[in-house]
Amino acid sequence: MIDLRKHCIELLESRGVSLEAIADCAVYLQHAYFPDLKREDMIESVMDVLGKREVQYTIMTGIAIDKAADKGDIEDPVLLKMLREDDGLYGVDEVLAYSICNVYGSIALTNFGYIDKDKYGIVGQLNKKNPDGSYPGNHNTFLDDIVGAIAASAAARYAHAQEK
Ligand code: MG
């Protein structure tokens, strides 16, 4: 049996995303409520989110589409252009990321909306483009939303776990 969590952590790392960078985003989302929160406190929540099958399938699917965009391996040239430029009206990347937030409820969804706009940390780094609108390296159209959704869900899980 394949360890899908390990597989997904390796996939994320292959695209430049570490567990620590995701935990930092989750800490940022909870900072107003828990000012002393540290990255180490959030790693457990990130690992819990990455242990969910819905999350694992979303990570694998999103990264596969981003890799196909890297290679030009999308038959429809109109779609390929939209994927490579992360067209603002495309929106399918956000909808796929909702499937992660849906596991953790409404706080995860509102957290996701916030970090998707705010572009904190690794979420912002994944979004950096060249002046001509192209990406410097990998295309991260799906990955930025997936990472934001994992952080948003980890933050929501942490918030619920603190409730006495
Ligand atoms: Mg995106």
Side-chain angles (χ1 to χ4, degrees):
M1 178 87 181
I2 300 169
D3 182 343
L4 282 179
R5 174 158 56 189
K6 184 167 171 283
H7 177 62
C8 286
I9 291 169
E10 287 167 0
L11 266 179
L12 288 165
E13 283 174 350
S14 77
R15 304 293 283 184
V17 178
S18 66
L19 291 178
E20 290 77 15
I22 301 174
D24 287 347
C25 289
V27 168
Y28 171 73
L29 287 167
Q30 284 300 306
H31 186 75
Y33 314 103
F34 305 99
D36 299 327
L37 193 58
K38 303 260 182 315
R39 171 197 278 182
E40 300 75 58
D41 306 323
M42 200 53 93
I43 292 283
E44 185 198 335
S45 277
V46 173
M47 288 298 279
D48 185 78
V49 174
L50 292 173
K52 296 278 189 288
R53 193 169 291 258
E54 295 94 325
V55 176
Q56 294 160 351
Y57 290 166
T58 302
I59 292 168
M60 291 160 63
T61 304
I63 290 179
I65 298 171
D66 281 349
K67 283 183 169 175
D70 285 347
K71 288 189 279 184
D73 218 355
I74 303 278
E75 197 179 317
D76 182 344
V78 180
L79 177 62
L80 179 61
K81 186 171 185 293
M82 287 196 294
L83 290 174
R84 285 188 156 178
E85 293 174 3
D86 197 2
D87 189 304
L89 296 176
Y90 178 62
V92 180
D93 40 348
E94 281 87 1
V95 175
L96 190 73
Y98 294 161
S99 65
I100 294 175
C101 301
N102 286 342
V103 180
Y104 289 88
S106 57
I107 298 178
L109 267 173
T110 50
N111 279 343
F112 173 67
Y114 183 80
I115 202 158
D116 184 45
K117 278 269 167 223
D118 190 70
K119 310 258 184 260
Y120 179 81
I122 184 73
V123 176
Q125 287 167 35
L126 291 169
N127 261 289
K128 283 221 175 78
K129 291 180 183 180
N130 292 322
D132 67 353
S134 64
Y135 279 103
N138 293 330
H139 297 89
N140 298 317
T141 296
F142 280 81
L143 184 60
D144 64 332
D145 299 293
I146 286 170
V147 170
I150 297 168
S153 299
R157 180 191 178 270
Y158 185 86
H160 281 293
Q162 304 317 304
E163 211 64 47
K164 297 281 183 300

